[in-house]
Amino acid sequence: SQQGEEDPQALSIQEGENATMNCSYKTSINNLQWYRQNSGRGLVHLILIRSNEREKHSGRLRVTLDTSKKSSSLLITASRAADTASYFCATETSSNTGKLIFGQGTTLQVKP
Amino acid sequence: GAGVSQSPRYKVAKRGQDVALRCDPISGHVSLFWYQQALGQGPEFLTYFQNEAQLDKSGLPSDRFFAERPEGSVSTLKIQRTQQEDSAVYLCASSWPGQGYHEQYFGPGTRLTVT
């Protein structure tokens, strides 16, 4: 069974707007990661945030983590049509294996 | 350099057939993972190898599923007597475990359709 729930399930915005996706999880984690999946392709790692971090930036991406609420958010600023994809949060609950538990994903459509 | 590759990319099997799915991880990556992704869902963990040792197979849905990585590099996921519910994309990922950092590199997946 999956650890996380993502919200919203689907999001449609115009190019240039910001997109925010939320993820909640159930158990204690070592770190939380976000992945992108383009239609028919494998997943691409975007960003990792450790359990002792609260915010992290990478280019147009900003991730926050609230371990007290067991939740995370991914913000994509100044979105582009090429950002159209499904986005998944994944939690690592053990540092010994790297096993990831994925959420259900948010499908983002960015209209040009 | 080369990423994770998987073969075949697409597989159609009749119910009851056995299938074998191959994963070539990134050279030198110690850890290898298999995930199953149903349509419209997130990937679900199946099994994990560290080198040739299968350290976690808690996600394998039944004893019809078997995975191996005999020489610590290429891995094969075998599904015996396939059922319709086995239809999914099977993803392989590899990583070089660092200090609490486990970015995984995913292959393109094998889409299995059981008819």
Side-chain angles (χ1 to χ4, degrees):
Chain A
S1 61
Q2 288 170 316
Q3 152 97 292
E5 293 184 2
E6 295 185 57
D7 167 53
Q9 288 190 346
L11 181 59
S12 182
I13 59 174
Q14 294 293 135
E15 210 166 24
E17 293 180 340
N18 296 342
T20 300
M21 294 161 245
N22 302 295
C23 166
S24 61
Y25 56 92
K26 297 173 186 172
T27 61
S28 296
I29 62 170
N30 223 30
N31 63 67
L32 184 144
Q33 304 177 33
W34 286 89
Y35 286 81
R36 182 185 71 221
Q37 185 174 40
N38 290 88
S39 180
R41 298 190 179 182
L43 290 97
V44 174
H45 180 268
L46 295 176
I47 195 166
L48 177 150
I49 186 165
R50 293 187 172 88
S51 59
N52 61 353
E53 297 176 313
R54 293 295 166 257
E55 188 170 313
K56 202 159 182 182
H57 297 255
S58 176
R60 294 184 296 114
L61 305 180
R62 172 179 168 251
V63 169
T64 62
L65 178 65
D66 187 335
T67 52
S68 67
K69 295 182 179 178
K70 292 188 169 58
S71 67
S72 173
S73 68
L74 172 68
L75 169 67
I76 305 174
T77 59
S79 63
R80 305 166 182 168
D83 295 328
T84 294
S86 292
Y87 291 81
F88 295 91
C89 67
T91 53
E92 183 189 324
T93 56
S94 165
S95 62
N96 294 328
T97 71
K99 166 184 171 180
L100 294 177
I101 308 297
F102 284 84
Q104 303 250 5
T106 293
T107 300
L108 172 65
Q109 182 184 29
V110 181
K111 300 175 184 176
Chain B
V4 178
S5 61
Q6 293 186 245
S7 60
R9 290 292 313 277
Y10 303 91
K11 177 69 180 176
V12 178
K14 290 186 178 176
R15 195 165 64 111
Q17 276 186 331
D18 297 349
V19 298
L21 313 180
R22 178 187 169 104
C23 172
D24 283 84
I26 292 172
S27 178
H29 276 193
V30 170
S31 299
L32 185 146
F33 305 82
W34 283 98
Y35 295 88
Q36 179 191 59
Q37 186 175 23
L39 189 64
Q41 302 292 314
E44 293 211 13
F45 171 80
L46 293 177
T47 187
Y48 158 70
F49 291 86
Q50 185 171 1
N51 296 306
E52 69 277 4
Q54 188 175 20
L55 299 185
D56 187 341
K57 54 182 181 179
S58 61
L60 296 177
S62 76
D63 58 8
R64 296 185 296 104
F65 286 70
F66 172 76
E68 60 183 5
R69 193 186 185 198
E71 297 177 357
S73 55
V74 171
S75 177
T76 304
L77 177 66
K78 297 178 179 177
I79 309 173
Q80 297 177 325
R81 304 181 304 281
T82 52
Q83 304 294 315
Q84 283 195 317
E85 61 263 28
D86 300 334
S87 294
V89 175
Y90 291 85
L91 296 166
C92 175
S94 70
S95 71
W96 175 254
Q99 291 285 334
Y101 178 79
H102 290 107
E103 173 183 350
Q104 295 187 15
Y105 295 83
F106 281 81
T110 294
R111 181 176 298 277
L112 172 65
T113 303
V114 181
T115 60

